[in-house]
Amino acid sequence: MFSHVIVGVTDLERSKRFYDALLGTLGVPPGVANKGTRYFYRSPTGLFGITLPINGEPATHGNGSTIGFAVQSPEQADAFHAAGVANGGTTCEDPPGYREGPAGPLYLAYLRDPDGNKLCAMFRPPKA
């Protein structure tokens, strides 16, 4: 459904270190520079980018927004979360773990990047 997601950041190199570590846990290669003001992370299923705002205004995070990343296991979600926290992110919501929802259990790991953007690693176990 989505072709790409891009978030605004205040410190491009700090954010690159954060996302290189975070997305590296998903097998995504380090960000590739573009125009000196952004980095793009490419995977077979889409593109994620970080950028200094083009309009020169301050970067802000969306209140109520979450960017979800699909992971292959609870262990990968935990690695994603740990890499994020170790590289300047902050944990938020409940600790990583299973939550029961209308569609069945999900393993979720929430954190915020250094600019406050809310991220989630989500593992959906196969239906029995």
Side-chain angles (χ1 to χ4, degrees):
M1 178 183 295
F2 303 106
S3 63
H4 63 283
V5 173
I6 299 177
V7 297
V9 300
T10 58
D11 182 326
L12 194 60
E13 295 307 314
R14 175 186 70 180
S15 293
K16 182 182 185 311
R17 285 189 300 276
F18 174 86
Y19 281 105
D20 281 358
L22 186 79
L23 298 177
T25 67
L26 306 181
V28 176
V32 175
N34 179 274
K35 299 184 181 183
T37 59
R38 1 181 134 128
Y39 284 98
F40 291 130
Y41 297 84
R42 289 174 170 62
S43 79
T45 57
L47 177 136
F48 180 81
I50 57 174
T51 186
L52 297 174
I54 294 170
N55 65 3
E57 296 292 322
T60 60
H61 62 275
N63 187 24
S65 300
T66 301
I67 300 169
F69 293 88
V71 298
Q72 302 302 310
S73 68
E75 294 78 18
Q76 192 176 39
D78 290 342
F80 175 98
H81 187 270
V85 171
N87 286 278
T90 54
T91 193
C92 64
E93 302 281 332
D94 293 327
Y98 279 101
R99 279 115 168 131
E100 195 60 44
L106 298 173
Y107 193 94
L108 304 172
Y110 287 97
L111 71 152
R112 291 192 182 272
D113 77 2
D115 288 291
N117 295 296
K118 187 175 174 184
L119 312 171
C120 178
M122 182 184 81
F123 171 67
R124 185 183 309 274
K127 298 226 183 229

mmCIF file of all heavy atoms in Angstrom, residues 18-19 21-26 67-71 74-86 109-111 119-122:
data_model
loop_
_atom_site.group_PDB
_atom_site.id
_atom_site.type_symbol
_atom_site.label_atom_id
_atom_site.label_comp_id
_atom_site.label_asym_id
_atom_site.label_seq_id
_atom_site.Cartn_x
_atom_site.Cartn_y
_atom_site.Cartn_z
ATOM 1 N N PHE A 18 21.079 6.479 14.526
ATOM 2 C CA PHE A 18 19.927 5.809 15.133
ATOM 3 C C PHE A 18 19.274 4.852 14.138
ATOM 4 O O PHE A 18 19.082 3.672 14.431
ATOM 5 C CB PHE A 18 18.920 6.871 15.610
ATOM 6 C CG PHE A 18 17.631 6.292 16.123
ATOM 7 C CD1 PHE A 18 17.521 5.880 17.441
ATOM 8 C CD2 PHE A 18 16.528 6.171 15.300
ATOM 9 C CE1 PHE A 18 16.326 5.349 17.924
ATOM 10 C CE2 PHE A 18 15.329 5.645 15.778
ATOM 11 C CZ PHE A 18 15.237 5.237 17.090
ATOM 12 N N TYR A 19 18.928 5.342 12.951
ATOM 13 C CA TYR A 19 18.211 4.501 11.986
ATOM 14 C C TYR A 19 19.107 3.443 11.348
ATOM 15 O O TYR A 19 18.623 2.363 11.004
ATOM 16 C CB TYR A 19 17.504 5.359 10.935
ATOM 17 C CG TYR A 19 16.221 5.940 11.476
ATOM 18 C CD1 TYR A 19 16.122 7.282 11.831
ATOM 19 C CD2 TYR A 19 15.107 5.138 11.681
ATOM 20 C CE1 TYR A 19 14.945 7.799 12.353
ATOM 21 C CE2 TYR A 19 13.927 5.640 12.200
ATOM 22 C CZ TYR A 19 13.858 6.973 12.539
ATOM 23 O OH TYR A 19 12.687 7.461 13.062
ATOM 24 N N ALA A 21 21.332 1.736 12.959
ATOM 25 C CA ALA A 21 21.298 0.652 13.961
ATOM 26 C C ALA A 21 19.924 0.008 14.025
ATOM 27 O O ALA A 21 19.799 -1.223 14.013
ATOM 28 C CB ALA A 21 21.695 1.198 15.339
ATOM 29 N N LEU A 22 18.877 0.830 14.080
ATOM 30 C CA LEU A 22 17.511 0.322 14.215
ATOM 31 C C LEU A 22 17.119 -0.534 13.011
ATOM 32 O O LEU A 22 16.707 -1.681 13.163
ATOM 33 C CB LEU A 22 16.554 1.502 14.349
ATOM 34 C CG LEU A 22 15.106 1.157 14.639
ATOM 35 C CD1 LEU A 22 14.940 0.825 16.110
ATOM 36 C CD2 LEU A 22 14.209 2.325 14.273
ATOM 37 N N LEU A 23 17.264 0.010 11.822
ATOM 38 C CA LEU A 23 16.833 -0.717 10.619
ATOM 39 C C LEU A 23 17.801 -1.836 10.257
ATOM 40 O O LEU A 23 17.410 -2.797 9.592
ATOM 41 C CB LEU A 23 16.645 0.259 9.458
ATOM 42 C CG LEU A 23 15.562 1.314 9.702
ATOM 43 C CD1 LEU A 23 15.481 2.292 8.533
ATOM 44 C CD2 LEU A 23 14.212 0.677 9.969
ATOM 45 N N GLY A 24 19.033 -1.740 10.739
ATOM 46 C CA GLY A 24 19.990 -2.836 10.548
ATOM 47 C C GLY A 24 19.491 -4.127 11.176
ATOM 48 O O GLY A 24 19.779 -5.215 10.680
ATOM 49 N N THR A 25 18.717 -4.020 12.265
ATOM 50 C CA THR A 25 18.178 -5.227 12.895
ATOM 51 C C THR A 25 17.155 -5.915 12.004
ATOM 52 O O THR A 25 16.829 -7.074 12.227
ATOM 53 C CB THR A 25 17.527 -4.925 14.265
ATOM 54 O OG1 THR A 25 16.364 -4.132 14.085
ATOM 55 C CG2 THR A 25 18.512 -4.238 15.206
ATOM 56 N N LEU A 26 16.651 -5.188 10.993
ATOM 57 C CA LEU A 26 15.685 -5.762 10.045
ATOM 58 C C LEU A 26 16.357 -6.179 8.737
ATOM 59 O O LEU A 26 15.691 -6.558 7.784
ATOM 60 C CB LEU A 26 14.580 -4.744 9.738
ATOM 61 C CG LEU A 26 13.846 -4.153 10.935
ATOM 62 C CD1 LEU A 26 12.770 -3.189 10.466
ATOM 63 C CD2 LEU A 26 13.258 -5.242 11.804
ATOM 64 N N ILE A 67 4.728 4.963 13.176
ATOM 65 C CA ILE A 67 5.241 4.294 11.985
ATOM 66 C C ILE A 67 5.568 2.869 12.399
ATOM 67 O O ILE A 67 6.374 2.647 13.311
ATOM 68 C CB ILE A 67 6.472 5.005 11.429
ATOM 69 C CG1 ILE A 67 6.104 6.450 11.055
ATOM 70 C CG2 ILE A 67 7.035 4.247 10.232
ATOM 71 C CD1 ILE A 67 7.286 7.323 10.748
ATOM 72 N N GLY A 68 4.914 1.900 11.763
ATOM 73 C CA GLY A 68 5.088 0.494 12.113
ATOM 74 C C GLY A 68 6.005 -0.221 11.150
ATOM 75 O O GLY A 68 5.916 -0.028 9.941
ATOM 76 N N PHE A 69 6.884 -1.050 11.697
ATOM 77 C CA PHE A 69 7.806 -1.864 10.912
ATOM 78 C C PHE A 69 7.491 -3.333 11.170
ATOM 79 O O PHE A 69 7.436 -3.766 12.329
ATOM 80 C CB PHE A 69 9.257 -1.579 11.307
ATOM 81 C CG PHE A 69 9.711 -0.191 10.954
ATOM 82 C CD1 PHE A 69 9.513 0.863 11.830
ATOM 83 C CD2 PHE A 69 10.331 0.062 9.744
ATOM 84 C CE1 PHE A 69 9.925 2.145 11.510
ATOM 85 C CE2 PHE A 69 10.747 1.343 9.413
ATOM 86 C CZ PHE A 69 10.541 2.388 10.300
ATOM 87 N N ALA A 70 7.279 -4.102 10.108
ATOM 88 C CA ALA A 70 7.016 -5.537 10.231
ATOM 89 C C ALA A 70 8.317 -6.256 10.561
ATOM 90 O O ALA A 70 9.353 -5.988 9.948
ATOM 91 C CB ALA A 70 6.439 -6.077 8.926
ATOM 92 N N VAL A 71 8.253 -7.149 11.546
ATOM 93 C CA VAL A 71 9.411 -7.958 11.914
ATOM 94 C C VAL A 71 9.032 -9.432 11.824
ATOM 95 O O VAL A 71 7.856 -9.783 11.784
ATOM 96 C CB VAL A 71 9.946 -7.591 13.320
ATOM 97 C CG1 VAL A 71 10.422 -6.144 13.356
ATOM 98 C CG2 VAL A 71 8.904 -7.827 14.397
ATOM 99 N N PRO A 74 9.478 -12.227 17.628
ATOM 100 C CA PRO A 74 9.592 -11.400 18.834
ATOM 101 C C PRO A 74 11.047 -11.009 19.113
ATOM 102 O O PRO A 74 11.324 -9.902 19.558
ATOM 103 C CB PRO A 74 9.031 -12.291 19.939
ATOM 104 C CG PRO A 74 8.081 -13.205 19.238
ATOM 105 C CD PRO A 74 8.731 -13.470 17.901
ATOM 106 N N GLU A 75 11.975 -11.922 18.830
ATOM 107 C CA GLU A 75 13.391 -11.637 19.063
ATOM 108 C C GLU A 75 13.872 -10.478 18.186
ATOM 109 O O GLU A 75 14.653 -9.634 18.634
ATOM 110 C CB GLU A 75 14.240 -12.896 18.811
ATOM 111 C CG GLU A 75 13.978 -14.015 19.791
ATOM 112 C CD GLU A 75 12.700 -14.818 19.512
ATOM 113 O OE1 GLU A 75 12.157 -14.754 18.382
ATOM 114 O OE2 GLU A 75 12.218 -15.500 20.447
ATOM 115 N N GLN A 76 13.392 -10.430 16.946
ATOM 116 C CA GLN A 76 13.774 -9.331 16.068
ATOM 117 C C GLN A 76 13.156 -8.015 16.558
ATOM 118 O O GLN A 76 13.792 -6.964 16.499
ATOM 119 C CB GLN A 76 13.364 -9.626 14.618
ATOM 120 C CG GLN A 76 13.990 -8.660 13.630
ATOM 121 C CD GLN A 76 13.670 -8.993 12.195
ATOM 122 O OE1 GLN A 76 12.554 -9.402 11.875
ATOM 123 N NE2 GLN A 76 14.638 -8.817 11.315
ATOM 124 N N ALA A 77 11.942 -8.072 17.074
ATOM 125 C CA ALA A 77 11.315 -6.874 17.651
ATOM 126 C C ALA A 77 12.122 -6.388 18.853
ATOM 127 O O ALA A 77 12.351 -5.181 19.010
ATOM 128 C CB ALA A 77 9.874 -7.173 18.063
ATOM 129 N N ASP A 78 12.568 -7.314 19.691
ATOM 130 C CA ASP A 78 13.373 -6.939 20.851
ATOM 131 C C ASP A 78 14.704 -6.328 20.421
ATOM 132 O O ASP A 78 15.169 -5.343 21.017
ATOM 133 C CB ASP A 78 13.623 -8.146 21.751
ATOM 134 C CG ASP A 78 12.369 -8.619 22.472
ATOM 135 O OD1 ASP A 78 11.382 -7.852 22.559
ATOM 136 O OD2 ASP A 78 12.374 -9.777 22.950
ATOM 137 N N ALA A 79 15.339 -6.894 19.389
ATOM 138 C CA ALA A 79 16.606 -6.353 18.883
ATOM 139 C C ALA A 79 16.400 -4.955 18.309
ATOM 140 O O ALA A 79 17.220 -4.054 18.522
ATOM 141 C CB ALA A 79 17.205 -7.300 17.835
ATOM 142 N N PHE A 80 15.312 -4.744 17.583
ATOM 143 C CA PHE A 80 14.935 -3.447 17.018
ATOM 144 C C PHE A 80 14.814 -2.426 18.151
ATOM 145 O O PHE A 80 15.395 -1.345 18.118
ATOM 146 C CB PHE A 80 13.610 -3.643 16.280
ATOM 147 C CG PHE A 80 12.942 -2.430 15.705
ATOM 148 C CD1 PHE A 80 13.095 -2.116 14.369
ATOM 149 C CD2 PHE A 80 12.089 -1.648 16.479
ATOM 150 C CE1 PHE A 80 12.425 -1.035 13.806
ATOM 151 C CE2 PHE A 80 11.422 -0.559 15.935
ATOM 152 C CZ PHE A 80 11.593 -0.247 14.588
ATOM 153 N N HIS A 81 14.059 -2.784 19.180
ATOM 154 C CA HIS A 81 13.827 -1.903 20.320
ATOM 155 C C HIS A 81 15.143 -1.593 21.039
ATOM 156 O O HIS A 81 15.450 -0.430 21.328
ATOM 157 C CB HIS A 81 12.818 -2.562 21.272
ATOM 158 C CG HIS A 81 12.382 -1.682 22.385
ATOM 159 N ND1 HIS A 81 13.045 -1.651 23.592
ATOM 160 C CD2 HIS A 81 11.362 -0.803 22.487
ATOM 161 C CE1 HIS A 81 12.450 -0.794 24.393
ATOM 162 N NE2 HIS A 81 11.418 -0.263 23.749
ATOM 163 N N ALA A 82 15.935 -2.616 21.317
ATOM 164 C CA ALA A 82 17.201 -2.434 22.029
ATOM 165 C C ALA A 82 18.163 -1.565 21.228
ATOM 166 O O ALA A 82 18.832 -0.691 21.795
ATOM 167 C CB ALA A 82 17.831 -3.800 22.336
ATOM 168 N N ALA A 83 18.252 -1.785 19.918
ATOM 169 C CA ALA A 83 19.137 -0.968 19.079
ATOM 170 C C ALA A 83 18.688 0.484 19.089
ATOM 171 O O ALA A 83 19.514 1.398 19.133
ATOM 172 C CB ALA A 83 19.167 -1.514 17.648
ATOM 173 N N GLY A 84 17.391 0.704 19.053
ATOM 174 C CA GLY A 84 16.882 2.068 19.084
ATOM 175 C C GLY A 84 17.219 2.768 20.384
ATOM 176 O O GLY A 84 17.712 3.901 20.391
ATOM 177 N N VAL A 85 16.975 2.111 21.512
ATOM 178 C CA VAL A 85 17.252 2.705 22.818
ATOM 179 C C VAL A 85 18.760 2.944 22.989
ATOM 180 O O VAL A 85 19.184 3.984 23.506
ATOM 181 C CB VAL A 85 16.669 1.832 23.947
ATOM 182 C CG1 VAL A 85 17.140 2.302 25.316
ATOM 183 C CG2 VAL A 85 15.140 1.832 23.875
ATOM 184 N N ALA A 86 19.589 2.015 22.512
ATOM 185 C CA ALA A 86 21.040 2.154 22.630
ATOM 186 C C ALA A 86 21.595 3.278 21.759
ATOM 187 O O ALA A 86 22.730 3.714 21.972
ATOM 188 C CB ALA A 86 21.718 0.832 22.262
ATOM 189 N N ALA A 109 6.708 -3.648 20.003
ATOM 190 C CA ALA A 109 7.814 -2.979 20.695
ATOM 191 C C ALA A 109 7.828 -1.518 20.239
ATOM 192 O O ALA A 109 8.151 -1.227 19.087
ATOM 193 C CB ALA A 109 9.135 -3.664 20.370
ATOM 194 N N TYR A 110 7.449 -0.609 21.137
ATOM 195 C CA TYR A 110 7.344 0.815 20.820
ATOM 196 C C TYR A 110 8.542 1.597 21.338
ATOM 197 O O TYR A 110 9.057 1.324 22.424
ATOM 198 C CB TYR A 110 6.098 1.410 21.482
ATOM 199 C CG TYR A 110 4.804 1.012 20.851
ATOM 200 C CD1 TYR A 110 4.058 -0.035 21.365
ATOM 201 C CD2 TYR A 110 4.308 1.708 19.754
ATOM 202 C CE1 TYR A 110 2.839 -0.397 20.799
ATOM 203 C CE2 TYR A 110 3.100 1.354 19.180
ATOM 204 C CZ TYR A 110 2.374 0.309 19.706
ATOM 205 O OH TYR A 110 1.170 -0.044 19.139
ATOM 206 N N LEU A 111 8.948 2.594 20.578
ATOM 207 C CA LEU A 111 9.945 3.547 21.031
ATOM 208 C C LEU A 111 9.823 4.828 20.219
ATOM 209 O O LEU A 111 9.099 4.873 19.221
ATOM 210 C CB LEU A 111 11.364 2.983 20.921
ATOM 211 C CG LEU A 111 11.956 2.808 19.531
ATOM 212 C CD1 LEU A 111 13.472 2.928 19.615
ATOM 213 C CD2 LEU A 111 11.609 1.441 18.989
ATOM 214 N N LEU A 119 7.704 4.959 16.836
ATOM 215 C CA LEU A 119 7.960 3.800 15.986
ATOM 216 C C LEU A 119 7.478 2.538 16.691
ATOM 217 O O LEU A 119 7.457 2.482 17.918
ATOM 218 C CB LEU A 119 9.456 3.677 15.714
ATOM 219 C CG LEU A 119 10.168 4.946 15.271
ATOM 220 C CD1 LEU A 119 11.668 4.741 15.243
ATOM 221 C CD2 LEU A 119 9.646 5.404 13.924
ATOM 222 N N CYS A 120 7.134 1.542 15.900
ATOM 223 C CA CYS A 120 6.701 0.272 16.467
ATOM 224 C C CYS A 120 7.197 -0.878 15.605
ATOM 225 O O CYS A 120 7.040 -0.845 14.375
ATOM 226 C CB CYS A 120 5.173 0.228 16.542
ATOM 227 S SG CYS A 120 4.523 -1.342 17.176
ATOM 228 N N ALA A 121 7.791 -1.876 16.250
ATOM 229 C CA ALA A 121 8.092 -3.143 15.582
ATOM 230 C C ALA A 121 6.928 -4.071 15.905
ATOM 231 O O ALA A 121 6.529 -4.191 17.062
ATOM 232 C CB ALA A 121 9.398 -3.726 16.099
ATOM 233 N N MET A 122 6.364 -4.702 14.868
ATOM 234 C CA MET A 122 5.202 -5.556 15.078
ATOM 235 C C MET A 122 5.416 -6.930 14.467
ATOM 236 O O MET A 122 5.745 -7.054 13.289
ATOM 237 C CB MET A 122 3.945 -4.949 14.447
ATOM 238 C CG MET A 122 2.711 -5.800 14.708
ATOM 239 S SD MET A 122 1.239 -5.188 13.886
ATOM 240 C CE MET A 122 1.491 -5.827 12.240
#
